[in-house]
Amino acid sequence: MLSTLRIERRADADPHVRESVKYRRPISIATMHRIRATLRHALNMAMRQDRLIDFNPAAVLEMAAHTRPKALVWTDDRVRAWQQDYRSYREREKQRRGGRRVDLIDAYTSVPRPSPVMVWTPAHTRRFLKEAKAHRLFALYQLIALRGLRRGEACGLRWKEVDLDGHTLTVNWQLVQLAWEVHEGAPKTDASVRTIALDTDTTQVLRAHRQRQLQERLTMGEDWTDTGFVFTQPDGNRLHPQHVSDQFLWLAYLAGLPPIRLHDLRHGAASLMLAAGVEMKVVQETLGHTSSAFTADTYTSVYPQVATAAAEKTAALLFGKEDQAEPGKLISLRS
């Protein structure tokens, strides 16, 4: 009931009503299933060990089936269809507001997408990184785009866990946002605690980021707060994860790209690795997944290039020909 109310308020025409539920995400079906599983386990333990109850009500609780949304790539056709819907939505909003200004990012994120999980093409990701290069959090976005860190893992990364000479970093902590409050804690699962290899370019980007941070520290003087985090506010305090997401959406809009969630940039990193021919086990360990089966089920069909390359390599066994699909042509969002 509470989730339904939040969904209704999120779509309300009154901006003050929408603001009242901002950053308060509805409880998803997947989360409900996890909550039920936890309760069922706890009640089973109470039955077996403490004999406090003789019936487990969580075992017979009926819930809607959970189907994990399929990740889709922003192909040219999907981008064109979304652009048309986006322009129509802005025009309707402008008329509804009596000609008053329409919030660009609100419109940008409100238009329905082919799937809740959308992935940029390699060409899209290159364009985003080019747009983000001058931003003070550019290194964070490149880490997510190439190495697939979760938002909380990137925000919780500390310099003591980064070895620039050895081209590695270790994920030991994360920052978690609950409503608006931020909490520090362990990564999502045991598999999420991992050491990740860094490419030369990302290592150089992190070195440049450290120099910029040292300059900010000198500028702030005694007002600097030494938290030890790699990515901080200009005064050294930890980042708020929502600020990272908000800046990401703004940069994506400025780059003229179709919208994705910041977490989808992580999905894109997985797809890029698979398209580059990286072994499934390596992709799984880089992302911090518990099993390679989950990685395979989620990502192997995202990029058309992956399926095309597999088909060409199979045919090459018979005909001796190989081909590699090129990324689709980029279509600008701006009209």
Side-chain angles (χ1 to χ4, degrees), residues 74 81-90 92 105-114 259:
W74 272 116
W82 180 87
Q83 285 176 325
Q84 184 175 354
D85 292 342
Y86 171 75
R87 295 188 184 102
S88 298
Y89 178 87
R90 284 186 59 182
R92 290 196 305 271
I105 299 300
D106 184 60
Y108 180 65
T109 56
S110 296
V111 177
R113 308 168 199 180

Side-chain angles (χ1 to χ4, degrees), residues 16 50 71 118 135 233 255:
H16 296 292
D50 302 325
M118 297 301 298
H135 197 278
Q233 299 181 44

Side-chain angles (χ1 to χ4, degrees), residues 24-212:
R24 297 179 181 274
R25 295 182 297 178
I27 299 176
S28 67
I29 294 296
T31 300
M32 292 180 186
H33 277 272
R34 286 193 288 268
I35 293 173
R36 183 183 67 169
T38 301
L39 287 173
R40 185 170 55 193
H41 176 73
L43 292 173
N44 279 336
M45 295 297 291
M47 291 174 61
R48 295 172 186 170
Q49 296 184 6
D50 302 325
R51 301 187 183 279
L52 298 176
I53 56 176
D54 56 10
F55 170 70
N56 188 342
V60 296
L61 178 64
E62 294 185 2
M63 297 177 60
H66 167 57
T67 302
R68 194 166 68 243
K70 180 179 176 61
L72 297 177
V73 68
W74 272 116
T75 60
D76 291 352
D77 289 342
R78 288 171 182 152
V79 172
R80 278 191 289 266
W82 180 87
Q83 285 176 325
Q84 184 175 354
D85 292 342
Y86 171 75
R87 295 188 184 102
S88 298
Y89 178 87
R90 284 186 59 182
E91 186 60 33
R92 290 196 305 271
E93 280 295 291
K94 186 175 181 180
Q95 293 177 1
R96 188 179 66 83
R97 295 167 182 259
R100 296 195 304 273
R101 177 180 175 275
V102 177
D103 186 290
L104 295 177
I105 299 300
D106 184 60
Y108 180 65
T109 56
S110 296
V111 177
R113 308 168 199 180
S115 170
V117 180
M118 297 301 298
V119 178
W120 282 335
T121 66
H124 291 155
T125 303
R126 281 195 299 270
R127 181 157 183 170
F128 169 78
L129 292 176
K130 182 178 180 181
E131 180 69 37
K133 195 164 188 177
H135 197 278
R136 63 183 301 275
L137 295 180
F138 170 61
L140 181 149
Y141 295 128
Q142 179 153 327
L143 267 181
I144 297 176
L146 269 67
R147 299 283 76 200
L149 270 70
R150 298 177 178 91
R151 181 182 72 171
E153 294 171 347
C155 292
L157 187 64
R158 290 175 168 83
W159 281 117
K160 66 181 181 180
E161 294 154 347
V162 178
D163 182 359
L164 294 178
D165 293 330
H167 289 214
T168 63
L169 63 82
T170 301
V171 175
N172 282 320
W173 302 94
Q174 67 170 342
L175 297 186
V176 179
Q177 178 183 334
L178 301 176
W180 186 251
E181 298 298 319
V182 179
H183 304 270
E184 297 180 30
K188 187 175 181 180
T189 64
D190 290 341
S192 298
V193 178
R194 63 201 188 277
T195 298
I196 299 174
L198 301 173
D199 59 279
T200 301
D201 184 73
T202 301
T203 301
Q204 292 174 347
V205 167
L206 282 169
R207 289 186 188 276
H209 173 78
R210 184 166 65 176
Q211 291 302 314
R212 187 181 302 111

